[in-house]
């Protein structure tokens, strides 16, 4: 049964060999494509990230430590990371290949970190390898190896944070929380996805400590819980405070980026006319974006006015209609909208029109893999949410991402942070099915 295996017992050689084989397969495939693929046509935010990377390289502003990042619409650690690979004589094609090599290494680290999380949660070999395969073989995730979006670095830092949090939940050693604070900080620098989830993590650490020490005195439980949550908060503040201070000193306020109300306004006010159309309503989205940029000279002014417009719209619409609209858009986002991989081999023509046949052949299995991961993952949440504090934390994270998608159901890319976690829950589902089938066969 998932969760029943003693995590202190060494894994079988077969499981370790299977993981190594998967990592070699993923590495070999993506390395081959990186070396062979033609120069891609960029789209979306890629020009933004590459532009800042090249600018940073030219100006020598390539520091990765907090307090050295610029303030912009998006957290800028991704472009700063890419700047390490840019420089004189490096064109965008060469830079993208270098970025691909870095992000491939992070993808392998992400798979290994997911395996470690599953081990800490008590998954057996079937569950561990299922979760690893679902993640490592997903074209929707693999696409970002070749792109200039910082999705894989963000997933990598998130995975490290969860490894440290689960390590703490199992051992109660505060050293794990130092690593969790560092990883969470850099996840925040990479994308703004988890801003509102950080308080949940802090509460979880305290509650998990109290649960683990339930046989001890109330005073000891409260003291240890406060020490644990305090350690995480102090470490996290130590990472993000220099950057927050720099941004505030420059007049941007105590914030890491400025696209919160821009995204919320688009997610709430943009409407779909055809819920079977996999492409988002970009005309209305661009009109909202133009209004956002035109009404204010600074990011803070634009954010304030977007907040006013969004709250005024919410106040003008009946609550039942608002909930129904957002629910329909969420269903469209999860079940109908095209992933960037699909867009790239379709209307965007990233690698030509038509895209190479072998890429087009990946489209149906890639979508089937997403549907399977989503369905099995949601079942796994029901099965495992009460299994341990660690499973509860991961379930809360999935719920948080779904709630964020409910508010901003514009792109399936926004669901990507929960995909590695869904893979773990899917692995737990498959393991339960496997164990039940073996029990019936006896």
């Amino acid at each position: 049964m998932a969760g029943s295996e003693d995590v202190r017992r060494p894994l079988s050689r077969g499981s370790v060999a299977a993981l190594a084989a998967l990592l070699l397969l993923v590495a070999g495939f993506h390395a081959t494509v990186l070396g062979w693929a033609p120069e891609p046509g960029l789209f979306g935010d890629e020009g933004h990230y590459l532009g800042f990377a090249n600018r940073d390289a030219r100006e020598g502003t390539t520091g990765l430590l907090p307090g050295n990042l610029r303030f912009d619409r998006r957290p800028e650690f991704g472009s700063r990371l890419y700047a390490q690979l840019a420089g004189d004589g490096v064109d965008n094609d060469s830079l993208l290949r270098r970025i691909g090599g870095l992000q491939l290494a992070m993808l392998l680290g992400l798979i290994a970190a997911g395996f470690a999380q599953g081990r800490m949660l008590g998954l057996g070999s079937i569950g561990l390898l299922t979760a690893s395969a679902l993640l490592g073989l997903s074209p929707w995730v693999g696409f970002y190896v070749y792109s200039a979006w910082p999705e894989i670095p963000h997933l990598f830092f998130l995975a490290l944070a969860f490894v440290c949090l689960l390590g703490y939940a199992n051992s109660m050693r505060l050293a794990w929380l130092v690593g969790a604070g560092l990883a969470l900080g850099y996840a925040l620098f990479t994308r703004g996805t988890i801003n509102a989830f950080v308080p949940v993590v802090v509460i979880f650490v305290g509650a998990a400590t109290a649960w683990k020490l339930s046989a001890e005195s109330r005073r000891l439980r409260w003291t240890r819980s406060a020490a644990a949550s305090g350690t995480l908060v102090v470490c996290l503040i130590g990472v993000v405070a220099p950057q927050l201070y720099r941004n505030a000193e420059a007049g941007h306020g105590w914030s890491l980026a400025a696209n919160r109300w821009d995204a919320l306004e688009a997610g709430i006010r943009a409407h779909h006319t055809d819920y079977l159309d996999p492409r988002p309503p970009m005309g209305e989205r661009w009109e909202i974006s133009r209004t956002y940029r035109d009404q204010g000279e600074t990011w803070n002014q634009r954010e304030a006015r977007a907040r006013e417009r969004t709250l005024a719209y919410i106040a003008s619409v009946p609550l039942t209609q608002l909930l129904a609209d957002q629910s329909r858009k969420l269903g469209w986002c999860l079940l109908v909208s095209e992933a960037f991989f699909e867009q790239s081999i379709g209307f965007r023509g990233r690698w030509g029109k038509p895209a190479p046949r072998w890429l087009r052949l990946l489209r149906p299995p890639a979508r089937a893999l997403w549907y399977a991961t989503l369905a099995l993952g949601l079942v796994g949440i029901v099965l495992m949410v009460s299994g341990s504090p660690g499973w509860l934390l991961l379930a809360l994270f999935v719920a948080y991402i779904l709630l964020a998608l409910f508010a901003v159901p514009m792109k399936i890319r926004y669901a990507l942070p929960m995909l590695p976690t869904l893979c773990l829950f899917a692995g737990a589902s498959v393991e339960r099915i496997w164990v039940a089938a073996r029990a019936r066969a006896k």
Side-chain angles (χ1 to χ4, degrees), residues 25-43:
L25 174 65
V26 172
F29 175 82
H30 289 299
T32 301
V33 174
L34 277 171
W36 168 83
E39 181 177 358
L42 305 181
F43 66 90

Side-chain angles (χ1 to χ4, degrees), residues 13-27 108 111 115 129:
R13 290 183 179 179
S15 298
V16 176
L19 174 64
L22 174 66
L23 293 175
L24 286 173
L25 174 65
V26 172
L108 298 177
I111 297 168
F115 190 92
L129 295 175

Side-chain angles (χ1 to χ4, degrees), residues 384-395:
M384 305 303 298
V385 66
S386 61
S388 70
W391 283 114
L392 175 59
L393 174 66
L394 296 188

Side-chain angles (χ1 to χ4, degrees), residues 85-343:
L85 308 172
D88 293 338
V90 180
D91 58 22
N92 273 350
D93 182 38
S94 299
L95 178 56
L96 275 171
R97 293 180 195 277
R98 293 182 180 187
I99 290 171
L102 172 65
Q103 295 188 146
L104 174 55
M106 286 187 158
L107 175 61
L108 298 177
L110 171 63
I111 297 168
F115 190 92
Q117 289 174 48
R119 182 68 175 148
M120 291 174 171
L121 290 163
L123 281 180
S125 298
I126 295 296
L128 289 169
L129 295 175
T130 298
S132 300
L134 287 173
L135 179 60
L137 300 180
S138 170
W140 287 18
V141 177
F143 162 78
Y144 290 100
V145 168
Y146 314 101
S147 78
W149 279 281
E151 310 304 316
I152 288 180
H154 181 61
L155 293 179
F156 176 74
F157 290 125
L158 267 179
L160 291 183
F162 280 128
V163 167
C164 292
L165 290 168
L166 295 175
Y168 173 74
N170 284 346
S171 70
M172 294 289 109
R173 295 176 181 171
L174 293 178
W176 283 107
L177 297 178
V178 178
L182 181 64
L184 282 173
Y186 274 93
L188 289 168
F189 290 150
T190 310
R191 292 200 65 83
T193 307
I194 63 166
N195 290 4
F197 189 67
V198 170
V200 177
V201 174
V202 174
I203 294 170
F204 162 80
V205 167
T209 304
W211 180 83
K212 192 84 169 183
L213 301 175
S214 57
E216 304 295 338
S217 68
R218 178 180 296 181
R219 180 178 180 181
L220 179 61
R221 290 201 307 272
W222 278 103
T223 301
R224 289 287 299 275
S225 295
S229 294
T231 298
L232 178 61
V233 169
V234 168
C235 292
L236 181 57
I237 289 176
V239 176
V240 301
Q243 190 62 48
L244 289 172
Y245 177 77
R246 172 177 173 170
N247 293 345
E249 192 176 37
H252 303 300
W254 294 84
S255 177
L256 294 177
N259 64 341
R260 178 181 304 172
W261 286 99
D262 178 24
L264 280 170
E265 182 179 18
I268 292 172
R269 293 186 58 201
H271 291 86
H272 296 68
T273 55
D274 182 0
Y275 283 94
L276 296 180
D277 185 349
R279 294 174 62 174
M282 293 308 297
E284 191 172 6
R285 173 67 179 92
W286 290 128
E287 184 60 35
I288 292 171
S289 181
R290 279 193 293 270
T291 300
Y292 176 86
R293 288 180 175 274
D294 292 342
Q295 296 191 9
E297 297 181 358
T298 67
W299 289 121
N300 287 346
Q301 292 173 352
R302 293 165 185 158
E303 283 287 287
R305 290 168 187 172
R307 179 179 182 273
E308 293 172 0
R309 291 191 300 269
T310 305
L311 294 180
Y313 175 81
I314 292 173
S316 70
V317 177
L319 180 60
T320 53
Q321 179 184 333
L322 183 67
L323 294 176
D325 287 346
Q326 295 304 109
S327 297
R328 285 194 295 269
K329 287 188 281 186
L330 176 62
W332 168 85
C333 184
L334 291 174
L335 302 176
V336 178
S337 67
E338 287 187 322
F340 274 12
F341 167 73
E342 294 172 314
Q343 293 183 16

Side-chain angles (χ1 to χ4, degrees), residues 355-431:
R357 186 168 181 270
W358 68 271
L359 275 176
R360 286 181 280 127
L361 289 175
L362 289 177
R363 181 179 181 126
R367 180 152 287 268
L369 199 63
W370 162 246
Y371 287 148
T373 303
L374 181 62
L376 288 170
L378 294 177
V379 170
I381 290 174
V382 174
L383 294 173
M384 305 303 298
V385 66
S386 61
S388 70
W391 283 114
L392 175 59
L393 174 66
L394 296 188
L396 289 172
F397 181 66
V398 173
Y400 165 79
I401 295 296
L402 289 175
L403 183 61
L405 276 176
F406 181 81
V408 190
M410 294 296 297
K411 303 172 185 176
I412 193 63
R413 177 167 66 94
Y414 296 160
L416 196 69
M418 73 176 179
L419 183 55
T421 303
L422 278 177
C423 289
L424 287 169
F425 281 112
S429 294
V430 170
E431 189 164 299

